[in-house]
Amino acid sequence: KYYAHKILENLHNTLEPVILTLYNVYGSGMGQDTMIYRFTHEDELTVYGTGMHTRDFIRVDDVVNIIKYILDNEITGITVDVGTGKETRVADIANYVHKISGKPLKYTKAVSEVAESKANVKKLKEIYPHKLVTNLKKDIQTMLKGAI
């Protein structure tokens, strides 16, 4: 990902690329290897390490709307973090799912994890005037019911 960004940045004088860095996208069509998918579809919640590492989650609907807005408005030549700008601890999500679903929760040996992951949404707020629909807790409830 890093090298792809650098290549596009170097072509900036000839092209006007839009580089979107997507943070933890969840919702319809998400991969089965994603944490939110595992927490909402598997019988047991497994947290690697202490769960104190954070992630910035964004619903796929917001990502689609942002991309559509950029295309419709012919925005070019920018690099944008696509996330909410809010960090959520993995342990907090696991505890929430455990509380509302009753699924067993276990902590296991840590794998190498990034400690903090949060989008810098300054540029996103400059170009995208709409409110994000991401509501992680509400969306988790909906996913547990099988509606997303």
Side-chain angles (χ1 to χ4, degrees):
K1 187 169 29 170
Y2 171 80
Y3 290 111
H5 279 227
K6 289 298 175 193
I7 289 168
L8 288 173
E9 285 173 0
N10 288 332
L11 292 173
H12 197 275
N13 292 334
T14 11
L15 300 174
E16 292 187 31
V18 173
I19 302 171
L20 303 178
T21 302
L22 306 181
Y23 280 70
N24 295 268
V25 181
Y26 70 88
S28 180
M30 72 182 145
Q32 293 182 5
D33 61 338
T34 64
M35 181 183 58
I36 296 296
Y37 182 91
R38 288 186 294 105
F39 281 5
T40 57
H41 289 79
E42 293 179 1
D43 294 332
E44 182 176 74
L45 306 169
T46 302
V47 176
Y48 298 97
T50 64
M52 293 297 115
H53 48 289
T54 63
R55 298 291 175 265
D56 184 338
F57 295 94
I58 185 165
R59 187 174 170 165
V60 69
D61 305 61
D62 281 323
V63 174
V64 169
N65 290 336
I66 290 164
I67 293 170
K68 185 177 181 327
Y69 183 86
I70 288 169
L71 292 171
D72 289 348
N73 290 279
E74 299 179 5
I75 297 171
T76 60
I78 59 167
T79 300
V80 181
D81 281 359
V82 179
T84 62
K86 298 174 188 158
E87 291 178 278
T88 303
R89 290 188 316 199
V90 171
D92 292 343
I93 297 169
N95 288 325
Y96 179 71
V97 174
H98 170 70
K99 178 181 168 187
I100 64 175
S101 71
K103 292 181 181 191
L105 171 59
K106 75 173 185 176
Y107 288 81
T108 189
K109 185 178 180 187
V111 292
S112 179
E113 289 279 347
V114 173
E116 297 175 348
S117 177
K118 179 177 85 168
N120 178 345
V121 295
K122 182 178 184 226
K123 181 62 90 177
L124 179 61
K125 288 180 177 183
E126 289 173 8
I127 64 156
Y128 186 69
H130 305 291
K131 186 175 190 258
L132 300 179
V133 298
T134 297
N135 182 328
L136 187 58
K137 284 188 173 183
K138 181 180 171 190
D139 293 338
I140 286 172
Q141 289 176 0
T142 304
M143 284 185 269
L144 287 169
K145 293 176 187 171
I148 292 183

